[in-house]
Amino acid sequence: MTIRLIVVDDDPLVRAGLTLMLGGADDLEIVGECADGAEVPALVDRTGPDVVLMDIRMPGVDGLTATERLRARPDGPEVVVLTTFHADEQVLRALRAGAAGFVLKDTPPAEIVAAVRRVAAGDPVLSPAVTRQLMAHVAGKAGGQDREAARRADAATRLAALAGREREVALAVGRGASNAQIAAALYMSVPTVKTHVSRVLTKLGLNNRVQIALLVHDAELSRQPADRLGESGRSAPGGPRP
């Protein structure tokens, strides 16, 4: 399957370089490019991309605003933001807006191609563990203690609305566990784990696993021991673990 891609960056040299690099992959097709976030909605409507590579800083409508608008659409394309900083509160805002992750502009070409493929397959290009590190780094710069406390309280309230197994799966996602790891820890099948993840996304109004990880981190629940995925710490079905 060919992955349809558009590139959004105000630097024509960056656009040309990305287009040349990504266009060389057999399964990627560059279907459009533009220099401003204001042009993105119309370009998406015309070309129907699977993935948008989005620069953050642009002189007109910035990439963060454009990302929020795209991800608010019912069937909006996945977004990977481009940045020159690996720990930037603007990147955190993009993740909260529903971006599937971010790549640095100096990332090796093969890794950018791999990131696009992963996003198109439904996997974030930023692991939950790295997301938590990013958030911890930015937290000291992003507002005062009152704001932090309000965010933690809101996250805890939202997670409390999940059913028991859903909450256990959400906590595991928050610790960076893969579907296979969650299945082994909770004695589920991988398809069952995927079903629970989908339900968590729907109930919480989120777009991807990265946002689940951010919410869990906000609530500070990801610090629970690995063998106690839920508040009750109950054993998995079928009795105690061997």
Side-chain angles (χ1 to χ4, degrees):
M1 183 181 70
T2 300
I3 301 168
R4 297 171 62 82
L5 181 71
I6 67 174
V7 178
V8 184
D9 196 295
D10 65 323
D11 187 333
L13 291 179
V14 171
R15 291 200 312 275
L18 288 170
T19 299
L20 180 64
M21 174 186 65
L22 296 168
D26 292 339
D27 58 340
L28 302 184
E29 179 185 2
I30 308 297
V31 296
E33 61 178 78
C34 61
D36 193 297
E39 303 172 39
V40 172
L43 182 60
V44 167
D45 290 338
R46 286 199 310 272
T47 61
D50 301 301
V51 179
V52 177
L53 273 180
M54 182 87 73
D55 187 22
I56 289 182
R57 296 176 176 86
M58 290 180 284
V61 174
D62 63 75
L64 299 176
T65 301
T67 297
E68 290 169 345
R69 292 173 179 173
L70 280 183
R71 296 306 299 163
R73 294 184 172 197
D75 299 312
E78 297 290 353
V79 177
V80 178
V81 296
L82 295 165
T83 180
T84 55
F85 301 98
H86 71 280
D88 188 327
E89 63 185 73
Q90 291 182 316
V91 173
L92 183 61
R93 178 183 157 194
L95 295 175
R96 291 188 183 282
F102 72 88
V103 294
L104 300 179
K105 289 187 177 181
D106 60 356
T107 298
E111 292 183 19
I112 295 181
V113 171
V116 170
R117 288 171 176 155
R118 284 182 56 191
V119 168
D123 296 324
V125 297
L126 178 65
S127 73
V130 174
T131 299
R132 294 198 300 273
Q133 292 175 2
L134 172 65
M135 185 171 178
H137 178 85
V138 173
K141 303 178 182 179
Q145 292 182 350
D146 290 345
R147 203 165 140 198
E148 294 280 320
R151 192 171 66 222
R152 286 197 297 270
D154 176 70
T157 299
R158 294 176 69 188
L159 288 171
L162 299 175
R165 276 308 210 192
E166 293 167 351
R167 188 171 183 277
E168 290 176 342
V169 169
L171 294 183
V173 170
R175 288 197 307 275
S178 67
N179 287 340
Q181 290 169 330
I182 297 171
L186 295 179
Y187 293 80
M188 298 178 180
S189 68
V190 171
T192 299
V193 173
K194 290 181 178 179
T195 297
H196 282 304
V197 171
S198 294
R199 288 175 179 168
V200 169
L201 292 171
T202 299
K203 282 190 175 182
L204 298 179
L206 303 177
N207 289 291
N208 53 47
R209 295 170 73 99
V210 172
Q211 288 185 316
I212 295 176
L214 286 169
L215 193 69
V216 170
H217 186 272
D218 280 348
E220 297 188 330
L221 297 177
S222 59
R223 299 177 184 178
Q224 296 188 34
D227 61 345
R228 295 186 60 190
L229 300 183
E231 279 190 324
S232 63
R234 64 182 181 275
S235 298
R241 299 181 184 180

